[in-house]
Amino acid sequence: MSPEEELQSNGSVASSTRNIVGVLKEHNYLGLSDCSSVGSSNLSGLADDDKATISLKATELTLGLPGSQSPARDTELNLLGPAKLDEKPFFPLLPSKDEMCSSSSHKNIASGNKRGFSDTMDKVPLYTEKNWMFPEAVLATQSVIKKEVAQNLPKGKLSTTNNSSSPPAAKAQIVGWPPVRSYRKNTLATTCKNSDEVDGKPGSGPLFVKVSMDGAPYLRKVDLRSYTNYGELSAALEKMFTTFTLGQCGTSGATGKDVRNETKLKDLLNGKDYVLTYEDKDGDWMLVGDFSWEIFIGVCKKLKIMKGCDAIGLAAAPAPAPRAMEKSKMRA
Amino acid sequence: MDLRLPSKVLEHILSFVDSNEDRNSVSLVCKSWFETERRTRKRVIVRNCYAVTPEAVARRFPEMRSLTLKGKPHFADYNLVPDGWGGYAWPWIEAMAEKCPSLEELRLKRMVVTDECLEKIAASFKDFKVLVLTSCEGFSTDGLAAIAVACSNLRELELRECIVEDLGGDWLSYFPETLTSLVSLDFSCLDSEVKLSDLERLVSRSPNLKSLKLNRAVSLDALGSLLRLAPQLVELGTGSFSDKLDQEAVSKLSQAFSEMKELKSLSGLWDVLPEYIPLLYSVCPGLTSLNLSYATVQMPDLLELLTRCSNLQKLWVMDLIEDKGLEVVASSCKELRELRVFPSGAEGLNDTNVAMTEQGLVSVSEGCPNLESVLYFCVQFTNAAMVTIARNRPNLKCFRLCVMEPFAPDHKTQKPLDEGFKAIVERCKDLQRLSVSGLLTDKAFEYIGTHGKKLRMLSIAFAGDSDLMLHHLLSGCESLNKLEIRDCPFGDTALVANAAKLETMRSLWMSSCCVSFGACKLLSQKMPKLNVEVIDEHPLETRPDSSPVERIYIYRTLAGPRLDMPEFVWTIQKNPEIGVSHLAIK
């Protein structure tokens, strides 16, 4: 398998990261012309001193409160609402309001686009009305300016996952937003893909899991949602890991050409020499096949093609396994 | 002459007073009325399990037969409350086991229930009849087995969206053959397959069974045989609706559905294949409640279903229904009272159906005169739409709009959604519950404070500009009971200025706002009848007063600080700091 393939199979995760970064870089312009328009146009509704404030602030290239030092970010910022930047540290995963003005704007929410708490906290006074600009002025201009994804997440991180050591997700998520119960999210994540395929509409997105094989030099990834049953999965895995098993067959004496034979491969993969196992949510390694397909893709975190002898001590799924086996065989 | 009403007479009169609100009023009249009322109250509801101690409740209402408890704050549903925060059912069950062994019904919401709790229930309450657990967690199917085996008069066992450690489907087999009293069984949130033959036997020996909600593992084929055994069902939650059935099985299933003359509520329909939708046609005209929120059925299959549901009062559906589908609802479901539209994409934004816009809700507001409760997830919205909706439906009682893009303005005018929400609160004078979203300035909250006089529960996210916003709400909304706020840029001033208001409310939740530690300390000191909980998983080493807190949960309580706080919850009683820095309050 070539490195390109590896990249491809990692595509959906990596590319969205790249997308965010790519898009961010694209949009990371100062748009000085827009900036000056802040001062001139669309401010009719505002009091004079606010206009003054805006034009003054519009030329001030900082992120922080007036007087505070902005850490090395002079070149990209939100010109339209420097006062609004006061808010920024408290909305770690949110784009600025201005970004959302443009209906064509990229929908991804940048993660971690804020400064450290310690940066802002020392200087933060009690907030009063005067600190804020009127948002109407901000919204009137339509520039899309994105923040660079912050690399370090400060200690006082809010509104992100409870585990502070986790890096920003590739497809950045705000914790608990949209407000859909986690029960619902988890349940929908395992919805059968049939309906998605019928109408070609996107389902809940691909579900990539790593697949490793004993003796193989590197991992592959498969999208569980692109299959509808165990049969399809096992066929795909067979194809993927052909080269390795060929190698194995070679050592046992058969010629290369003879071995390129599906039945032989099936034997190799499906019970004689290899078994397919998966790691579930609890970190336990289980034999694949005991649950219905829908439940399986909900709990499967990793796949592993193990040698049959290695898999002997492996836990089978809890009771009622026999019936579930029947069920999954019926469905597959 | 003794003018007092003899207590026996009073008791008899009170036996007709059902509503707890009325009973609460009764108990305030005088001591003897208080005494008579408390001795006769059978149904006790405690909407915040930390507002009062279990012992106090048991002491006051010795004849309690039914207890309803709520634990974690609402935002726990969206993972905003860290694990281990609290909401444990055990102290309540322990106390009731000792003091109210005649307890028959227990309804718990957002609480941590362990297997020990369930075993204790099974062992302590001889006449236990009803167990309803909503959004609870902490137990396994072993606990269910304990309930099944011991509660010989069990009527209702309902698990609604609970997180259960599923050790297998055996638990169902523990219902004894002598149990014939079952009226309602809901195990839709469990994963494992139960033994079909045991389920069938249970259903056949339960002539009073009115509500049956199966889990996804129950196949379509199995459903057929179950329906034939229980054609009297009023509520049905199907299992998976996607197996491939042969022609004979399909027609048998169709027959089974058409025999169900009493069916009023239908849910489940997991993975429903379009070719099976017609199976449901026969029950549609009788339905008052339809929950398609887990059914990935799309247009136009949905249309056929909806046009037949002329008596529908409650519809839960995914945004796969699109504007077109909602138009059909508007013209076919004239009795509709409650509409909930959930997002179909798991990530919310990128996968959301763009063929559903604000127009869908506008259509329903036009066509359904009885519409009073709305939950609507949508990518964006407009002020004009809300104005129209408000004009059409001044009878709205619950309006929860979730514009999924934070800070999204009116997508046509790019203005904040202030005017739209203004129309809602101005026109809908009986509005009790409101969730706002989208781009909102302080003005929106000034409107809400001015007009939302009957508002009891308010949910806010990513909104407003300053403390004024909070001030408007706390000083204006007279009936405000529950306020929950996340990611809004204010805190201290308005909070401390309106501290007294907090005692008139059940609870206030603020997360990712600008509330400082000093303000929390000050509030705690000023208001001893409140529990001010600072929930901070990553506190700074030293806590200067100006440091912001991650989350604050404030609730009124008679019980004082709770004893089961994890280390990440701070209250002033737990770690009182020496002195309180002077905080400038206007």
Side-chain angles (χ1 to χ4, degrees):
Chain A
M1 180 186 66
S2 62
E4 291 90 75
E5 279 178 47
E6 176 75 39
L7 277 176
Q8 266 173 25
S9 51
N10 281 329
S12 78
V13 173
S15 62
S16 43
T17 318
R18 262 184 261 123
N19 275 346
I20 290 177
V21 173
V23 165
L24 288 172
K25 290 222 152 55
E26 242 179 272
H27 289 93
N28 238 350
Y29 55 87
L30 291 186
L32 271 174
S33 53
D34 290 345
C35 166
S36 52
S37 76
V38 171
S40 53
S41 66
N42 301 316
L43 294 179
S44 43
L46 295 174
D48 281 344
D49 53 337
D50 289 310
K51 281 187 195 167
T53 314
I54 290 162
S55 3
L56 186 64
K57 289 211 184 262
T59 57
E60 196 179 280
L61 302 185
T62 61
L63 273 187
L65 294 168
S68 64
Q69 286 303 313
S70 162
R73 284 216 204 154
D74 294 339
T75 53
E76 80 269 344
L77 58 98
N78 180 349
L79 285 177
L80 303 177
K84 289 241 169 282
L85 296 173
D86 302 338
E87 302 172 26
K88 289 295 180 282
F90 303 99
F91 304 95
L93 292 186
L94 309 177
S96 67
K97 294 181 187 183
D98 330 294
E99 292 154 0
M100 287 305 161
C101 293
S102 166
S103 52
S104 58
S105 66
H106 191 67
K107 296 244 193 269
N108 274 345
I109 298 178
S111 70
N113 59 342
K114 67 180 188 73
R115 297 152 52 214
F117 256 133
S118 39
D119 292 342
T120 50
M121 275 309 97
D122 305 329
K123 291 128 192 162
V124 153
L126 278 181
Y127 288 98
T128 64
E129 299 179 84
K130 291 189 192 140
N131 286 349
W132 309 116
M133 238 170 56
F134 286 98
E136 284 89 14
V138 167
L139 299 175
T141 54
Q142 302 249 336
S143 339
V144 175
I145 297 180
K146 298 247 179 216
K147 294 277 179 66
E148 191 173 45
V149 174
Q151 284 314 299
N152 57 317
L153 298 173
K155 277 193 286 182
K157 191 162 62 126
L158 300 171
S159 232
T160 51
T161 56
N162 292 334
N163 176 11
S164 66
S165 58
S166 59
K171 200 171 181 183
Q173 294 288 299
I174 307 175
V175 167
W177 190 265
V180 172
R181 285 192 186 166
S182 37
Y183 171 83
R184 202 185 153 70
K185 273 189 192 155
N186 296 341
T187 309
L188 279 179
T190 59
T191 294
C192 172
K193 193 166 187 299
N194 284 342
S195 45
D196 300 339
E197 282 178 336
V198 168
D199 288 341
K201 282 194 180 140
S204 4
L207 186 61
F208 282 91
V209 296
K210 291 183 188 170
V211 187
S212 58
M213 178 164 166
D214 278 354
Y218 40 77
L219 304 177
R220 296 297 303 269
K221 269 195 172 185
V222 290
D223 172 10
L224 288 181
R225 289 226 179 83
S226 56
Y227 314 113
T228 54
N229 56 48
Y230 286 118
E232 285 177 18
L233 173 64
S234 105
L237 289 179
E238 280 165 35
K239 285 204 185 102
M240 257 185 222
F241 288 87
T242 306
T243 45
F244 308 137
T245 54
L246 277 180
Q248 301 284 352
C249 287
T251 58
S252 63
T255 64
K257 279 188 191 161
D258 290 350
V259 166
R260 265 185 246 300
N261 173 320
E262 260 199 338
T263 335
K264 225 67 247 205
L265 283 171
K266 278 206 175 85
D267 285 347
L268 278 174
L269 286 176
N270 282 353
K272 290 236 174 112
D273 284 357
Y274 289 93
V275 289
L276 187 56
T277 62
Y278 71 100
E279 186 182 52
D280 70 3
K281 283 183 198 159
D282 302 327
D284 300 327
W285 285 94
M286 321 272 275
L287 289 171
V288 163
D290 291 326
F291 290 116
S292 71
W293 177 254
E294 291 85 346
I295 293 172
F296 168 69
I297 64 177
V299 297
C300 172
K301 292 284 162 258
K302 278 187 208 168
L303 284 169
K304 193 167 185 180
I305 304 176
M306 283 187 184
K307 287 212 175 83
C309 44
D310 290 342
I312 284 176
L314 224 52
R323 274 175 294 277
M325 276 293 270
E326 274 173 7
K327 251 305 98 116
S328 59
K329 277 183 185 147
M330 265 168 58
R331 286 182 186 185
Chain B
M1 190 167 83
D2 193 346
L3 293 171
R4 276 182 309 179
L5 214 50
S7 59
K8 286 284 175 221
V9 176
L10 183 57
E11 257 183 55
H12 183 70
I13 296 173
L14 286 184
S15 66
F16 296 102
V17 179
D18 229 10
S19 125
N20 273 8
E21 229 183 297
D22 291 341
R23 277 181 165 265
N24 289 345
S25 308
V26 163
S27 62
L28 292 173
V29 169
C30 66
K31 269 196 166 166
S32 72
W33 280 46
F34 178 88
E35 284 299 308
T36 310
E37 193 284 312
R38 76 172 188 87
R39 272 198 260 272
T40 56
R41 193 183 298 207
K42 299 266 186 313
R43 219 169 30 109
V44 176
I45 302 177
V46 180
R47 292 191 172 87
N48 176 1
C49 66
Y50 290 120
V52 69
T53 64
E55 291 75 26
V57 174
R59 243 193 334 265
R60 182 173 168 187
F61 302 112
E63 295 301 310
M64 185 190 332
R65 292 285 178 275
S66 156
L67 178 61
T68 302
L69 290 173
K70 293 189 184 176
K72 300 186 201 174
H74 174 232
F75 271 0
D77 283 351
Y78 315 128
N79 290 344
L80 292 179
V81 177
D83 281 339
W85 171 83
Y88 302 106
W90 175 257
W92 288 86
I93 295 172
E94 203 184 17
M96 296 310 141
E98 198 196 324
K99 303 204 162 64
C100 301
S102 315
L103 191 69
E104 296 175 2
E105 307 181 5
L106 200 53
R107 293 176 172 83
L108 306 177
K109 185 166 183 179
R110 276 188 220 107
M111 295 194 76
V112 177
V113 179
T114 58
D115 284 345
E116 280 154 324
C117 294
L118 297 175
E119 285 155 16
K120 185 89 171 158
I121 293 171
S124 318
F125 304 117
K126 294 302 159 208
D127 206 14
F128 199 69
K129 296 196 166 77
V130 171
L131 183 64
V132 177
L133 302 177
T134 307
S135 301
C136 293
E137 54 174 358
F139 59 101
S140 77
T141 43
D142 282 352
L144 296 178
I147 297 279
V149 80
C151 301
S152 48
N153 289 323
L154 196 66
R155 278 208 320 249
E156 297 176 29
L157 176 61
E158 294 182 20
L159 308 173
R160 301 178 186 169
E161 298 198 343
C162 294
I163 313 241
V164 183
E165 191 191 348
D166 199 326
L167 304 171
D170 298 348
W171 62 274
L172 188 97
S173 311
Y174 281 85
F175 282 112
E177 292 295 323
T178 48
L179 182 76
T180 55
S181 47
L182 212 55
V183 173
S184 166
L185 179 64
D186 178 354
F187 59 99
S188 50
C189 62
L190 299 182
D191 286 328
S192 289
E193 209 179 327
V194 298
K195 201 166 169 192
L196 183 59
S197 52
D198 287 343
L199 182 55
E200 284 174 346
R201 275 206 306 278
L202 179 62
V203 168
S204 18
R205 65 174 183 273
S206 304
N208 297 323
L209 192 68
K210 292 273 181 293
S211 171
L212 180 63
K213 295 187 182 164
L214 308 166
N215 68 352
R216 209 167 176 177
V218 176
S219 69
L220 201 49
D221 207 15
L223 179 67
S225 50
L226 288 167
L227 294 185
R228 275 189 290 282
L229 293 169
Q232 78 282 7
L233 285 178
V234 175
E235 295 181 352
L236 171 66
T238 72
S240 168
F241 226 86
S242 64
D243 309 331
K244 296 290 182 188
L245 298 178
D246 60 34
Q247 197 46 46
E248 196 199 330
V250 169
S251 71
K252 269 186 164 174
L253 189 54
S254 176
Q255 179 68 20
F257 268 112
S258 60
E259 302 281 314
M260 303 187 71
K261 307 289 184 204
E262 312 289 327
L263 196 66
K264 295 235 170 332
S265 162
L266 183 61
S267 59
L269 300 170
W270 310 92
D271 319 316
V272 59
L273 295 178
E275 61 250 40
Y276 291 147
I277 303 266
L279 287 170
L280 305 171
Y281 291 169
S282 55
V283 294
C284 285
L287 288 181
T288 55
S289 165
L290 180 57
N291 182 352
L292 296 170
S293 64
Y294 292 102
T296 47
V297 58
Q298 313 206 38
M299 300 286 284
D301 306 304
L302 263 182
L303 278 185
E304 288 298 325
L305 200 58
L306 294 169
T307 44
R308 289 174 163 79
C309 296
S310 46
N311 285 314
L312 210 57
Q313 293 176 17
K314 179 168 127 174
L315 176 64
W316 290 18
V317 73
M318 289 205 268
D319 59 12
L320 301 167
I321 193 172
E322 300 177 2
D323 287 344
K324 279 183 286 164
L326 289 173
E327 273 167 36
V328 171
V329 170
S331 58
S332 308
C333 310
K334 292 299 186 189
E335 303 296 320
L336 197 68
R337 297 204 185 142
E338 177 180 328
L339 174 69
R340 293 197 191 188
V341 181
F342 296 94
S344 51
E347 310 299 281
L349 282 180
N350 284 7
D351 302 330
T352 301
N353 197 330
V354 290
M356 198 195 76
T357 70
E358 71 274 6
Q359 193 46 48
L361 187 55
V362 170
S363 313
V364 177
S365 73
E366 269 160 14
C368 303
N370 295 327
L371 186 71
E372 53 183 35
S373 172
V374 171
L375 169 63
Y376 202 75
F377 281 83
C378 195
V379 179
Q380 40 196 17
F381 223 77
T382 64
N383 283 312
M386 269 195 268
V387 169
T388 309
I389 292 166
R391 202 171 0 110
N392 291 336
R393 291 277 68 78
N395 48 324
L396 280 175
K397 292 211 169 66
C398 166
F399 186 73
R400 296 162 70 190
L401 176 64
C402 178
V403 177
M404 290 192 286
E405 281 188 26
F407 309 120
D410 178 323
H411 69 90
K412 292 204 173 120
T413 65
Q414 302 311 319
K415 291 207 160 90
L417 291 177
D418 297 346
E419 296 302 312
F421 282 108
K422 176 186 182 199
I424 295 282
V425 290
E426 238 184 345
R427 295 248 178 186
C428 305
K429 306 234 182 288
D430 289 328
L431 196 68
Q432 289 182 11
R433 185 167 177 184
L434 178 65
S435 298
V436 299
S437 55
L439 183 67
L440 295 166
T441 72
D442 285 349
K443 269 254 161 248
F445 301 96
E446 190 189 324
Y447 300 141
I448 296 175
T450 311
H451 299 284
K453 295 305 180 190
K454 296 253 177 84
L455 211 52
R456 293 177 58 79
M457 181 168 175
L458 183 54
S459 311
I460 305 171
F462 310 114
D465 311 307
S466 73
D467 274 62
L468 253 199
M469 162 187 164
L470 184 57
H471 179 71
H472 286 311
L473 295 175
L474 292 178
S475 56
C477 297
E478 291 159 3
S479 313
L480 197 59
N481 194 27
K482 283 203 302 192
L483 180 56
E484 46 188 23
I485 304 176
R486 62 166 294 176
D487 294 276
C488 293
F490 51 72
D492 291 355
T493 322
L495 256 190
V496 180
N498 290 286
K501 171 77 175 174
L502 298 176
E503 263 183 18
T504 68
M505 293 166 54
R506 190 188 314 165
S507 66
L508 167 65
W509 168 277
M510 290 176 70
S511 56
S512 310
C513 298
C514 305
V515 179
S516 72
F517 189 55
C520 296
K521 286 198 290 189
L522 191 64
L523 259 180
S524 309
Q525 289 206 326
K526 268 179 86 170
M527 314 294 301
K529 288 205 216 137
L530 299 177
N531 270 359
V532 176
E533 291 189 14
V534 173
I535 304 167
D536 239 331
E537 283 178 293
H538 316 106
L540 303 173
E541 293 276 315
T542 54
R543 275 232 213 196
D545 283 354
S546 57
S547 64
V549 299
E550 287 175 18
R551 309 170 189 83
I552 180 169
Y553 184 46
I554 303 175
Y555 52 93
R556 67 181 169 200
T557 179
L558 298 173
R562 54 187 177 110
L563 303 170
D564 58 4
M565 283 184 276
E567 53 172 28
F568 57 78
V569 172
W570 173 95
T571 60
I572 198 167
Q573 295 87 357
K574 209 181 177 200
N575 339 339
E577 261 139 288
I578 300 165
V580 176
S581 313
H582 183 70
L583 203 65
I585 308 293
K586 289 183 191 139

